[in-house]
């Protein structure tokens, strides 16, 4: 006879277990995520969009504690709004990433969140920045979240410089699907956003349309 | 003066006077990435070559592919002491069994012996083992015996700390019906990618190809490892 009739997930921190990814290409970036939010062993949201708009030309992908990540993204959304009105132009991707980095570094002991910032600006084109732990680093591509460990080998082997936007969309979809297949905290659908000079384009790839990979189909013993 | 200081900073003083490095007090572990793949007619097995005690690399040319019988090998990951002890015990048991049978033992038998020991002593052991080889009943077979002591046959298997990083790569690259050469290339690629990302894996890639005709061993040295565009 259980002592408490309360489900365990009510007492667990809500986390975007997660796999997130962003890739630069000539003329823009592609940023993608899975859609699972877990509280302990329960999936509390299976369709969460973890790609958060920081400005028209800059998005960020959220991972770690859902609350912490959303809080940081909301603050930077506000700061960037002010900044771009004051400057009279679209913000630089590096400015957005810097703001995220400043908060992540200042509160690094309290926060458990990693945001990947990606976007396009006129000065440097498509850019992807990692902000893990409060550092700021520009990378050709970045992966993050609990599911990212399973795809380091895949992205290292598959990435080549000079991919087109379609190549990057396929690369990101494949990588996220592979991670979702192995990480219990990642799953659901794949959200994709591509950002170029012309603007942003959002896409969802539903579960049944995800690429299929080897799945241990034959149990031989 | 020493007595006066001792009271205030006693714990700090004793730490500063510890002259033995941290790594002498760490368990020796085969950090590791190991892998085995079945093909029609045999198996390919591979491993990195790094053994660590904490942050110190105790052996950078370790051979983690251990022969259990003429055409049965195992890949070892986890505690170096535990896996060596288990492998020695199974080698003895299998050798004895083979003499009784007057026949080459089955790969499944070897795998079962590993499983019995790893399950019975699961609380005390830290061992993740992949058993692979060739026998005339079922040809090339790969059995995985991870920590905890379950045993299952798989078309290919990866293990060790470095394996987490290559799940995506092997899931996307594996195809049924690969030839021996393709399996060797697949294994070398996967191990190189893992060694690049996992601090506990590195050194050289050791490979073994086992088939009806026997065992062929190869080493791929550091500078000859496959390179990828992102590195």
């Amino acid at each position: 006879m259980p002592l408490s009739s309360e489900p365990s997930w009510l007492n667990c921190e809500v986390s975007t277990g997660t796999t997130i990814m962003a890739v630069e290409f000539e003329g823009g970036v592609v940023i993608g995520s899975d859609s699972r939010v877990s509280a302990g062993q329960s999936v509390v949201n299976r369709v969460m969009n973890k790609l958060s708009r920081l400005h028209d030309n800059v998005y960020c992908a959220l991972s770690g504690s859902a609350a912490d990540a959303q809080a940081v993204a909301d603050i930077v959304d506000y700061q960037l709004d002010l900044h771009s009105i004051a400057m009279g132009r679209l913000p630089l991707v590096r400015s957005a990433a810097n703001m995220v980095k400043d908060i992540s570094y200042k509160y690094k002991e309290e926060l458990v969140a990693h945001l990947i910032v990606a976007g396009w600006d006129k000065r440097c084109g498509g850019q992807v920045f990692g902000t893990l732990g409060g550092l700021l680093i520009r990378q050709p591509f970045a992966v993050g979240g609990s599911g990212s460990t399973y795809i380091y080998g895949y992205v290292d082997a598959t990435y080549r410089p000079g991919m087109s936007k379609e190549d990057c969309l396929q690369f990101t979809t494949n990588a996220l699907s592979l991670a979702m297949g192995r990480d219990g905290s990642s799953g659901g659908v794949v959200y994709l956003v591509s950002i170029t000079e012309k603007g942003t384009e959002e896409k969802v790839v539903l579960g049944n349309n995800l690429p299929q990979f080897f799945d241990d189909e034959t149990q031989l013993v | 003066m020493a007595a006066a200081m001792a009271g205030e900073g006693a714990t700090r003083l004793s730490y500063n006077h510890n002259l033995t490095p941290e790594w002498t007090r760490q368990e020796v572990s085969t950090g590791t990435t190991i892998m085995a793949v079945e093909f029609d007619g045999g198996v390919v097995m591979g491993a990195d070559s790094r053994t660590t005690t904490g942050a110190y690399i105790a052996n950078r040319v370790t051979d983690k592919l251990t022969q259990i019988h003429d055409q049965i090998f195992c890949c070892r990951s986890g505690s170096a002491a535990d896996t060596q002890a288990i492998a020695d015990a199974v080698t003895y048991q299998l050798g004895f069994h083979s003499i009784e049978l007057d026949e080459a033992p089955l790969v499944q038998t070897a795998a079962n012996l590993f499983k019995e020991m790893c399950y019975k002593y699961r609380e005390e052991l830290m061992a993740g083992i992949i058993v692979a080889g060739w026998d005339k009943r079922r040809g090339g077979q790969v059995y995985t015996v991870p920590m905890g002591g379950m045993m299952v046959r798989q078309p290919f298997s990866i293990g060790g700390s470095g394996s987490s990083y290559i799940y995506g790569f092997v899931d996307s690259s594996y195809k049924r019906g690969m030839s021996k050469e393709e399996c060797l290339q697949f294994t070398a690629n996967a191990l190189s990618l893992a060694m690049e990302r996992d601090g506990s894996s590195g050194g050289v890639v050791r490979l073994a190809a086992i088939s009806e005709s026997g065992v062929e061993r190869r080493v791929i040295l550091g500078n000859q490892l496959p390179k990828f565009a992102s590195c």
Side-chain angles (χ1 to χ4, degrees), chain A:
Chain A
M1 175 85 160
L3 289 169
S4 159
S5 49
E6 215 179 52
S8 59
W9 53 260
L10 282 176
N11 303 321
C12 287
E13 160 116 30
V14 173
S15 123
T16 42
T18 256
T19 316
I20 52 176
M21 180 165 166
V23 194
E24 277 175 24
F25 62 89
E26 179 74 47
V29 293
V30 164
I31 186 169
S33 79
D34 74 304
S35 67
R36 180 171 292 181
V37 180
S38 41
Q41 296 303 102
S42 283
V43 176
V44 295
N45 187 346
R46 58 189 167 96
V47 286
M48 160 123 183
N49 190 338
K50 301 174 191 181
L51 305 177
S52 196
R53 176 193 166 280
L54 295 178
H55 210 268
D56 291 340
N57 61 325
V58 186
Y59 271 64
C60 70
L62 314 172
S63 74
S65 150
D68 285 353
Q70 283 184 345
V72 175
D74 285 350
I75 294 171
V76 176
D77 184 341
Y78 162 76
Q79 289 177 340
L80 262 191
D81 241 355
L82 270 187
H83 172 75
S84 77
I85 287 168
M87 301 294 282
R89 57 156 172 82
L90 287 175
L92 295 178
V93 186
R94 188 173 280 267
S95 309
N98 242 293
M99 292 177 187
V100 171
K101 178 266 290 175
D102 283 344
I103 301 172
S104 303
Y105 182 67
K106 186 168 181 190
Y107 298 103
K108 75 180 289 182
E109 304 303 327
E110 292 99 316
L111 294 173
V112 179
H114 172 219
L115 277 61
I116 296 178
V117 181
W120 179 93
D121 62 46
K122 208 160 67 164
R123 190 186 289 187
C124 302
Q127 298 144 77
V128 170
F129 289 91
T131 62
L132 185 63
L135 58 60
L136 179 68
I137 184 164
R138 181 175 171 187
Q139 300 172 274
F141 67 89
V143 294
S146 56
S148 67
T149 47
Y150 303 104
I151 51 173
Y152 273 109
Y154 175 75
V155 297
D156 282 345
T158 314
Y159 174 78
R160 331 152 252 121
M163 292 196 287
S164 69
K165 181 173 103 163
E166 277 60 39
D167 288 340
C168 288
L169 284 165
Q170 191 58 57
F171 176 43
T172 307
T173 309
N174 287 347
L176 291 174
S177 304
L178 287 164
M180 284 154 65
R182 289 288 183 178
D183 179 28
S185 313
S186 301
V189 306
V190 168
Y191 287 105
L192 296 163
V193 171
S194 59
I195 310 172
T196 60
E197 186 175 9
K198 299 193 195 71
T200 55
E201 230 176 82
E202 299 188 356
K203 254 178 73 161
V204 186
V205 184
L206 298 179
N208 57 332
N209 296 327
L210 289 174
Q212 304 271 36
F213 295 98
F214 172 76
D215 222 344
D216 251 358
E217 329 94 323
T218 41
Q219 287 303 323
L220 299 164
V221 159

Side-chain angles (χ1 to χ4, degrees), chain B residues 7 12-13 23 32 34 46 55 67-68 73 109 111 114 136 150 159 195:
Chain B
R12 255 182 295 135
L13 271 178
W23 58 259
T32 261
I34 51 176
Q67 186 159 32
I68 306 296
F73 272 64
T109 309
F114 273 105
K136 72 170 194 255
M150 81 146 187
M195 284 156 64

Side-chain angles (χ1 to χ4, degrees), chain B residues 41-221:
Chain B
V43 293
V44 162
M45 304 173 76
D48 74 301
S49 69
R50 182 172 289 182
T51 306
T52 50
T53 38
Y56 175 66
I57 299 172
N59 187 351
R60 59 188 170 101
V61 285
T62 322
D63 187 4
K64 303 179 190 178
L65 303 177
T66 305
Q67 186 159 32
I68 306 296
H69 205 267
D70 293 346
Q71 284 160 309
I72 306 176
F73 272 64
C74 74
C75 308
R76 301 179 290 111
S77 75
S79 152
D82 287 351
T83 55
Q84 284 177 2
I86 298 168
D88 287 348
V90 172
T91 304
Y92 162 74
Q93 293 168 349
L94 200 63
F96 191 92
H97 169 72
S98 167
I99 288 170
E100 286 183 314
L101 233 49
D102 197 21
E103 225 178 64
L106 297 177
V107 186
Q108 186 174 12
T109 309
N112 257 295
L113 288 171
F114 273 105
K115 180 262 289 171
E116 285 299 303
M117 197 166 296
C118 292
Y119 180 68
K120 186 169 180 188
Y121 299 107
R122 58 185 292 171
E123 301 303 326
E124 290 96 328
L125 293 172
M126 190 168 89
I129 295 174
I130 300 178
V131 186
W134 183 91
D135 64 47
K136 72 170 194 255
R137 186 184 292 186
R138 293 199 180 100
Q141 300 143 74
V142 170
Y143 295 88
T144 183
V145 182
M147 280 187 231
M150 81 146 187
M151 191 261 287
V152 71
R153 183 178 172 191
Q154 296 180 301
F156 71 90
S157 187
I158 54 177
S161 56
S163 67
S164 319
Y165 303 103
I166 49 172
Y167 273 104
F169 175 75
V170 299
D171 282 345
S172 65
S173 297
Y174 175 76
K175 303 178 304 299
R176 262 170 302 158
M178 289 195 285
S179 68
K180 181 176 99 164
E181 282 310 316
E182 285 173 318
C183 287
L184 284 162
Q185 192 58 54
F186 174 48
T187 306
N189 285 343
L191 292 174
S192 303
L193 288 164
M195 284 156 64
E196 192 66 31
R197 287 289 183 176
D198 179 29
S200 313
S201 302
V204 305
V205 167
R206 292 200 188 271
L207 295 167
I210 310 172
S211 60
E212 181 171 10
S213 48
V215 180
E216 194 195 304
R217 299 211 56 172
R218 284 187 213 179
V219 184
I220 306 182
L221 301 178

